[in-house]
Amino acid sequence: MLLAEDQHVIREALVTLLSLEPDIEVVQAVESGDAAVAAALAHRPDVVVLDIDMPGAIDGLDAAAQVRTRLPGCRALMLTGHGKPGHLRRALSSQVDGFMLKTASPEELASAIRKVARGERVLDPSLAVTAWNLADNPLTPREADVLRLVAEGAEPPEIAGRLFLSAGTVRNYITAIVTKLNARNRTDAVRIASEAGWI
């Protein structure tokens, strides 16, 4: 298996713990999504274990998608410090093979790796209710585009110029977004949509 984790101490601890398992071999441990893709292509592991939030051009979920495309036989197990609904939604929609929290015991992680290697799908038990309750995205694609630009700090006139809309139309979109998300204001709407993985 290949491990991608940006925090050095955690990465080394996981390598040490997983190396104690007689049937698990860590072929390489890397610190970014970009490095994970390159290492997977070089080593062709059966399983990649990827942290979601990593520095570089791509995060763990994007790296998992690239590995799946380029190495269809390689399975991906996501590992994260927090089960944000947005991360879980992206993981499920990108069809990763497993999703575990870093709070899992070494035995649970090793068991998850074995299951993923056998072709099973694994979801950390503490995330089952979150997965069940994930709501559908209420935003239209255009509303999501507008809210992404709001999240970048753009004001309605700039958003209008970038999306070839009138400023009035942009303000109408923002009002509709705030209403749909039951948000207090556009900043709150950005927070809600980001946490849910809609933008």
Side-chain angles (χ1 to χ4, degrees), residues 46-52 59-69 72 74-80 86-100 112 115-117 119-124 127 131:
D46 296 323
V47 177
V48 290
V49 177
L50 301 141
D51 185 10
I52 292 178
D59 66 8
L61 287 167
D62 291 333
Q66 288 190 29
V67 169
R68 175 181 289 281
T69 300
C74 184
R75 316 274 298 168
L77 174 64
M78 306 313 299
L79 190 61
T80 186
H87 284 159
L88 184 53
R89 178 187 313 283
R90 282 182 62 209
L92 295 174
S93 67
S94 64
Q95 299 180 334
V96 298
D97 304 292
F99 194 98
M100 294 292 291
K115 287 178 181 176
V116 165
E120 297 175 38
R121 296 195 71 186
V122 177
L123 179 64
D124 194 294
L127 296 173

Side-chain angles (χ1 to χ4, degrees), residues 92-157:
L92 295 174
S93 67
S94 64
Q95 299 180 334
V96 298
D97 304 292
F99 194 98
M100 294 292 291
L101 293 176
K102 290 181 184 178
T103 54
S105 70
E107 294 79 17
E108 290 170 323
L109 179 57
S111 174
I113 292 168
R114 290 183 187 101
K115 287 178 181 176
V116 165
R118 288 195 303 262
E120 297 175 38
R121 296 195 71 186
V122 177
L123 179 64
D124 194 294
S126 66
L127 296 173
V129 172
T130 302
W132 189 267
N133 290 330
L134 285 176
D136 289 332
N137 183 351
L139 302 176
T140 66
R142 180 57 93 187
E143 288 169 342
D145 291 341
V146 168
L147 195 56
R148 277 189 207 89
L149 293 174
V150 169
E152 292 175 11
E155 292 295 326

Side-chain angles (χ1 to χ4, degrees), residues 6-81:
D6 65 314
Q7 296 182 33
H8 183 76
V9 171
I10 294 174
R11 185 172 64 248
E12 293 305 317
L14 287 171
V15 168
T16 300
L17 289 168
L18 292 171
S19 296
L20 297 173
E21 300 293 329
D23 57 339
I24 296 176
E25 177 190 2
V26 181
V27 295
Q28 189 169 359
V30 297
E31 71 292 335
S32 71
D34 309 79
V37 174
L41 292 172
H43 294 281
R44 307 182 76 77
D46 296 323
V47 177
V48 290
V49 177
L50 301 141
D51 185 10
I52 292 178
D53 295 313
M54 290 187 289
I58 60 172
D59 66 8
L61 287 167
D62 291 333
Q66 288 190 29
V67 169
R68 175 181 289 281
T69 300
R70 298 172 77 177
L71 294 172
C74 184
R75 316 274 298 168
L77 174 64
M78 306 313 299
L79 190 61
T80 186

